């Protein structure tokens, strides 16, 4: 059987996860509106940290800011992890940064080209989007009740099946490597990577992961544009601060913190 034709199975994923702190309970659904919506309901019902929801297909896969995540059946990974961190709501953005490191480190093991992190939530390969992260938190004052960490990875989807709107900007492991992947095995690797990085974050804060995050952040020192709703800021990407905000230096030399938005790399124009 070709590796890409296997259905997702909780047993097969669990067989590949060594420690099982994450993934003791795994739902593998055929079809769902969004794994984040399903996982939120489970969290509201009291599900434990580490519970995972996978789906073969999402009919309303969510991106940030009301955008959609293209989620065709049986080709990719769409999953949500329930987290109940002890740290405060001010550190919730660290979950996205932690997940980006876990994804980049895991995907690097199966790729010859190193992945890149595009702040705050994209994983790119050769400049094309391979995976996206959507973190949704439920807080009570300064306390986090739970976080739903949603991850979509394009695994075996060929370019011709992508919607035209993202065909140029997106990629998949199949497109990059020319081979199909066993999604159960890849899911297990991702869960292990997430558990390892989450333990580091919970134990020592984002400082434990910052250098690794920076290693995958290829835009440092490069001119970028950051768009947040109708506001556009231009400047040079300097990195992130301890809160996970993007630091940019604008044309006047003023340093700014950006808390949310879409980063667009700009090309340097030759000077005469
Ligand atoms: C994201 O949003 O990148 C977060 C994606 C999170 C998806 C997972 S799947 C499991 C879980 N359950 C959910 O419902 N969601 C999460 P954002 O940065 O806003 O990017 C969305 C944009 O990426 C879209 O507007 C498209 O331009 C593009 N896009 C949509 N689907 C894509 C895909 N499959 N691959 C690459 N790019 C895509």
């Amino acid at each position: 059987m070709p590796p890409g034709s296997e259905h997702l199975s909780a047993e097969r994923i669990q067989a590949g996860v060594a420690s099982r702190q994450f993934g003791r309970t795994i739902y593998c659904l055929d079809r769902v509106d969004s794994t984040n919506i399903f996982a939120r309901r489970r969290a509201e019902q009291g599900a434990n940290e580490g519970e995972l929801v996978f789906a073969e297909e999402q009919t309303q896969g969510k991106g940030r800011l009301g955008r959609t995540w293209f989620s065709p059946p049986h080709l990719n990974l769409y999953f949500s992890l329930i987290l109940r961190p002890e740290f405060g709501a001010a550190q919730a953005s660290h979950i996205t940064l932690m997940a980006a490191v876990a994804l980049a480190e895991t995907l690097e093991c199966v790729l010859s080209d190193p992945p890149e992190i595009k702040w705050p939530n994209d994983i790119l390969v050769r400049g094309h989007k391979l995976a996206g992260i959507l973190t949704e938190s439920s807080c009570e004052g300064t306390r986090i009740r739970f976080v739903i960490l949603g991850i979509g990875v394009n695994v075996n989807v060929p370019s011709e099946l992508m919607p035209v709107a993202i065909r140029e900007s997106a990629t998949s492991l199949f497109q990059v490597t020319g081979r199909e992947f066993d999604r159960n095995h890849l899911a297990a690797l991702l869960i292990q990577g997430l558990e390892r990085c989450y333990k580091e974050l919970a134990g020592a804060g984002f400082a434990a992961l910052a250098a690794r995050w920076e290693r995958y952040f290829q835009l440092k020192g490069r001119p970028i544009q950051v768009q947040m709703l109708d506001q556009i800021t231009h400047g040079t990407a300097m990195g992130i601060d301890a809160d996970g905000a993007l630091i940019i230096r604008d044309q006047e030399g003023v340093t700014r913190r950006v808390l949310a938005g879409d980063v667009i790399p700009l090309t340097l124009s030759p000077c005469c």
Side-chain angles (χ1 to χ4, degrees), residues 45-263:
Q45 290 162 1
N48 288 328
E49 175 162 273
E51 186 167 307
L52 279 149
V53 180
F54 283 79
E56 290 284 5
E57 176 183 12
Q58 297 186 116
T59 54
Q60 290 170 50
K62 296 197 284 179
R64 293 173 303 151
L65 304 166
R67 294 186 285 225
T68 56
W69 187 254
F70 169 61
S71 310
H74 305 297
L75 289 167
N76 298 324
L77 285 175
Y78 322 110
F79 65 98
S80 300
L81 171 64
I82 297 172
L83 296 172
R84 297 188 183 275
E86 305 262 301
F87 49 74
Q91 275 85 51
S93 64
H94 290 170
I95 301 275
T96 305
L97 302 175
M98 173 284 293
V101 172
L103 283 182
E105 289 184 342
T106 306
L107 293 168
E108 187 168 22
C109 297
V110 301
L111 289 168
S112 46
D113 294 275
E116 249 179 69
I117 295 175
K118 181 152 95 61
W119 181 91
N121 69 317
D122 288 350
I123 302 294
L124 311 183
V125 178
R126 300 180 195 156
H128 298 276
K129 185 158 169 171
L130 178 71
I133 301 164
L134 175 66
T135 310
E136 298 180 297
S137 315
S138 168
C139 299
E140 247 166 24
T142 56
R143 192 180 76 85
I144 298 177
R145 287 175 64 228
F146 60 81
V147 174
I148 306 300
L149 171 59
I151 294 176
V153 184
N154 296 326
V155 183
N156 293 323
V157 61
S159 161
E160 59 274 19
L161 287 190
M162 299 250 193
V164 174
I166 61 166
R167 206 170 285 167
E168 293 298 312
S169 62
T171 192
S172 66
L173 290 177
F174 174 72
Q175 273 174 253
V176 176
T177 64
R179 68 183 177 88
E180 287 189 356
F181 283 77
D182 173 344
R183 291 175 303 145
N184 289 307
H185 177 63
L186 183 64
L189 293 179
L190 289 168
I191 293 167
Q192 292 193 146
L194 285 164
E195 184 170 332
R196 181 173 39 80
C197 291
Y198 182 63
K199 277 190 182 146
E200 291 178 80
L201 178 67
F206 184 66
L209 299 166
R212 278 139 69 195
W213 191 95
E214 292 262 347
R215 187 165 82 78
Y216 293 107
F217 182 62
Q218 300 293 315
L219 291 178
K220 191 168 181 173
R222 300 240 329 254
I224 57 167
Q225 172 181 306
V226 187
Q227 183 159 7
M228 181 56 194
L229 303 176
D230 55 357
Q231 197 188 332
I232 294 179
T233 315
H234 292 266
T236 303
M238 308 304 291
I240 51 171
D241 68 11
D243 297 325
L246 180 68
I247 307 299
I248 62 174
R249 182 170 300 145
D250 70 14
Q251 281 105 328
E252 284 78 47
V254 178
T255 300
R256 294 178 189 276
R257 293 176 80 235
V258 182
L259 294 168
D262 289 304
V263 170

